[in-house]
C-alpha cells in the first residue's frame, strides 16, 4: 500500500507493477522446455512423446495440471524445491547445546575453534562425546547464531536498537589496473592548542597522483565537497573508492558515491595495510610538509595555499619510488 499510495495517479504504474510481480519469479529454461514437450504431446500423442523425450505419461499429466492451476502462465512449470519435507536433525545430549549457550554468554562471540577446548573439558567431565569444531559451528547456527552486541542506552534510559549495516570490503586479490580504477581517501588529524584540524587526503592507486585539503570540519559534508573537488581535478573517472570506516566517509560522502553509481570499498577495522598506498602518502605529506607548517593550520586558507604549491611540485616534478625514481605521477600519466 505504501508503494501504491506513493505513485497514485502515475499513468501506467499498475501494469508496470504487475509485470514486476510477474517477473519476480522469472521463467526458467526448464519451464520453457517443459512447455515445448507439452506442445509436442498435444500434436503427436503420448506414444511419440514417450519415445522422443523418454517421459512417462503421468509426468505429462502432472505438468498439464500445474499449467492449468497456474492459469496458463509458464512460471507454473518452474521446478520446485527438492528439499525433503522431514529433514534429519542433529541428536546430541541436551547438556551440550546448553553448555555452548553458557560459554557464549560468558565469552561473547567466541568462535568455534576457541570453544572446542572449553567444551571438550565439559564433555570429558560428564563422560559425553564431544562434537568436532565444524559440528560446534553447526550447533551454534541451529541455536540462532548466538551473536551478541553491546546494548546502547539513550539519554532517556531506554535501550536503543543496534543496527549493524553490511558494508563492502575491498577484495584481497584486488589490484588497480588503470588510472581511476581505484582511488583512496583518508584523514589526518592534528591537535593545535586544544583545537582540532583535519587534512583530507586523496590518492589514485595506479598513477600515485595525490591531493590534500585542510579543514576544521570532520563532517561527511566536508568529505563530500573534497570528493567532488578531486573528481574535477583528476583527469580520469573513478570506478572504485576506498576508505576506512571513519564517520566522515558515511552519510553525504557515501550517498554521493551511490548517486554516481560507484562502488565504495571499506577496509577492515584496524587494518591500515589494506590501504597501504594512502597511508604511505599520509606519512610523506606529514614528514615533508605538514610538520613544517603546523602554525599555518590555524588559518586553513593560508595552509591550503602553501599546500597547493607543494602538491604541484609533488605530482609534477618529484619522482616516485613506484616508477623506479625516474618519473613523477603526472609524467607517468603522460607516458601512458
Amino acid at each position: 500500500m505504501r508503494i501504491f499510495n506513493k505513485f497514485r495517479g502515475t499513468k501506467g504504474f499498475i501494469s508496470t507493477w504487475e509485470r514486476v510481480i510477474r517477473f519476480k519469479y522469472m521463467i526458467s529454461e526448464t519451464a520453457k522446455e517443459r512447455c515445448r514437450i507439452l506442445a509436442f504431446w498435444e500434436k503427436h500423442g503420448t506414444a511419440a512423446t514417450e519415445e522422443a523425450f523418454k517421459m512417462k505419461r503421468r509426468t505429462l499429466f502432472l505438468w498439464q495440471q500445474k499449467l492449468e492451476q497456474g492459469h496458463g502462465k509458464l512460471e507454473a512449470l518452474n521446478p520446485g524445491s527438492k528439499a525433503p519435507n522431514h529433514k534429519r536433525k542433529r541428536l546430541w545430549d541436551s547438556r551440550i547445546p546448553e553448555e555452548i549457550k553458557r560459554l557464549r554468554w560468558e565469552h561473547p562471540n567466541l568462535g568455534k575453534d576457541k570453544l572446542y577446548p572449553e567444551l571438550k573439558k565439559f564433555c570429558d567431565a560428564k563422560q559425553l562425546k564431544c562434537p568436532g569444531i565444524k559440528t560446534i559451528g553447526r550447533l551454534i547456527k541451529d541455536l540462532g547464531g548466538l551473536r551478541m552486541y553491546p546494548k546502547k542506552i539513550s539519554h532517556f534510559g531506554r535501550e536503543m536498537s543496534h543496527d549493524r549495516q553490511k558494508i563492502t570490503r575491498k577484495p584481497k586479490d584486488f589490484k588497480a589496473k588503470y588510472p581511476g580504477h581505484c582511488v583512496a581517501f583518508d584523514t589526518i588529524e592534528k591537535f593545535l592548542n586544544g583545537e582540532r584540524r583535519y587534512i583530507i587526503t586523496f590518492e589514485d592507486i595506479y598513477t600515485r597522483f595525490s591531493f590534500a585539503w585542510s579543514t576544521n570540519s570532520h563532517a561527511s559534508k566536508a568529505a563530500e565537497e573534497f570528493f567532488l573537488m578531486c573528481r574535477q581535478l583528476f583527469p580520469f573517472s573513478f570506478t572504485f573508492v576506498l576508505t576506512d570506516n571513519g564517520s566522515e566517509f558515511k552519510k553525504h560522502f557515501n550517498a554521493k558515491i551511490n548517486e554516481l553509481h560507484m562502488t565504495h570499498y571499506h577496509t577492515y577495522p584496524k587494518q591500515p595495510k589494506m590501504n597501504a598506498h594512502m597511508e604511505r602518502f599520509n606519512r610523506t605529506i606529514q614528514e615533508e610538509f605538514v610538520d613544517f607548517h603546523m602554525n599555518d593550520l590555524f588559518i586553513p586558507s593560508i595552509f591550503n595555499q602553501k599546500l597547493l604549491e607543494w602538491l604541484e611540485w609533488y605530482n609534477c616534478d618529484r619522482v616516485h619510488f613506484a616508477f623506479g625514481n625516474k618519473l613523477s605521477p603526472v609524467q607517468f600519466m603522460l607516458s601512458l
Side-chain angles (χ1 to χ4, degrees):
M1 290 301 297
R2 284 181 60 191
I3 296 175
F4 179 79
N5 290 335
K6 183 177 179 181
F7 294 99
R8 178 177 292 173
T10 304
K11 185 177 180 181
F13 167 72
I14 298 299
S15 58
T16 303
W17 183 248
E18 288 177 350
R19 292 192 188 98
V20 171
I21 297 298
R22 175 182 172 86
F23 287 100
K24 181 180 180 182
Y25 305 99
M26 298 297 292
I27 301 170
S28 65
E29 293 298 326
T30 305
K32 295 176 183 178
E33 180 65 21
R34 290 176 178 179
C35 184
R36 284 191 288 268
I37 295 174
L38 289 177
F40 184 90
W41 177 42
E42 184 179 355
K43 183 176 181 180
H44 299 285
T46 305
T49 306
E50 290 178 347
E51 183 179 354
F53 298 99
K54 308 300 180 183
M55 305 297 302
K56 292 184 179 180
R57 185 169 177 267
R58 62 185 180 185
T59 303
L60 297 172
F61 279 104
L62 177 63
W63 290 352
Q64 187 183 51
Q65 181 185 7
K66 285 185 176 181
L67 195 61
E68 290 175 356
Q69 291 175 352
H71 305 288
K73 295 181 179 179
L74 290 186
E75 51 262 38
L77 295 177
N78 283 342
S81 174
K82 296 181 181 179
N85 294 327
H86 302 285
K87 299 179 181 179
R88 292 181 297 174
K89 296 182 179 179
R90 277 174 274 277
L91 300 177
W92 290 91
D93 191 290
S94 60
R95 289 174 288 180
I96 291 179
E98 291 298 326
E99 178 64 12
I100 292 176
K101 285 183 180 179
R102 188 193 69 80
L103 289 171
R104 288 286 290 234
W105 178 262
E106 185 176 348
H107 308 286
N109 307 325
L110 192 67
K112 57 186 179 181
D113 300 274
K114 306 294 189 301
L115 277 175
Y116 177 75
E118 300 294 329
L119 189 62
K120 187 74 167 59
K121 296 176 186 177
F122 173 82
C123 292
D124 291 344
K126 301 292 183 181
Q127 296 183 349
L128 298 171
K129 181 183 178 182
C130 182
I133 294 175
K134 292 184 178 179
T135 305
I136 292 175
R138 296 188 187 102
L139 288 171
I140 292 174
K141 185 176 180 182
D142 292 343
L143 293 170
L146 301 180
R147 191 75 177 169
M148 297 175 61
Y149 303 104
K151 295 181 180 180
K152 289 186 176 181
I153 306 298
S154 69
H155 59 282
F156 295 109
R158 301 172 186 169
E159 287 188 7
M160 298 172 59
S161 59
H162 189 73
D163 298 329
R164 296 178 66 92
Q165 299 179 353
K166 290 186 178 181
I167 55 179
T168 307
R169 300 293 184 186
K170 175 190 168 187
K172 292 183 179 179
D173 57 346
F174 180 86
K175 187 176 181 180
K177 298 180 179 179
Y178 52 84
H181 189 194
C182 182
V183 295
F185 289 84
D186 202 0
T187 304
I188 300 171
E189 184 177 356
K190 292 292 183 180
F191 289 89
L192 299 173
N193 299 333
E195 297 183 9
R196 297 185 181 185
R197 291 294 184 268
Y198 306 95
I199 303 170
I200 310 176
T201 55
F202 157 86
E203 184 176 44
D204 174 54
I205 303 300
Y206 186 77
T207 64
R208 304 298 199 274
F209 183 90
S210 305
F211 189 60
W213 196 253
S214 171
T215 176
N216 54 9
S217 172
H218 196 242
S220 61
K221 193 66 179 176
E224 179 197 6
E225 293 175 358
F226 179 73
F227 172 75
L228 296 175
M229 191 187 306
C230 293
R231 286 190 70 227
Q232 294 179 354
L233 182 68
F234 192 62
F236 299 93
S237 59
F238 302 160
T239 304
F240 298 101
V241 178
L242 176 64
T243 69
D244 57 18
N245 303 280
S247 60
E248 69 272 26
F249 301 121
K250 305 290 185 181
K251 200 175 179 180
H252 297 293
F253 183 89
N254 191 62
K256 178 57 67 173
I257 292 176
N258 294 333
E259 180 185 332
L260 296 171
H261 305 288
M262 299 176 187
T263 303
H264 188 183
Y265 282 148
H266 296 77
T267 61
Y268 282 99
K270 300 179 182 179
Q271 293 292 327
K273 61 184 179 182
M274 292 186 68
N275 199 359
H277 297 294
M278 189 76 262
E279 297 294 340
R280 175 63 257 192
F281 173 69
N282 286 349
R283 180 178 173 182
T284 299
I285 193 175
Q286 290 183 86
E287 291 182 347
E288 297 187 12
F289 181 81
V290 177
D291 292 346
F292 299 97
H293 298 82
M294 289 290 289
N295 292 331
D296 295 328
L297 276 172
F298 284 108
I299 306 177
S301 58
I302 297 177
F303 181 86
N304 288 330
Q305 183 62 39
K306 296 181 179 179
L307 178 61
L308 283 175
E309 297 175 1
W310 183 85
L311 287 170
E312 181 182 359
W313 171 79
Y314 177 88
N315 289 308
C316 298
D317 300 318
R318 185 184 185 276
V319 294
H320 203 288
F321 182 79
F323 313 127
N325 285 336
K326 296 180 180 180
L327 297 174
S328 68
V330 171
Q331 290 170 352
F332 175 69
M333 282 193 289
L334 294 174
S335 69
L336 296 176

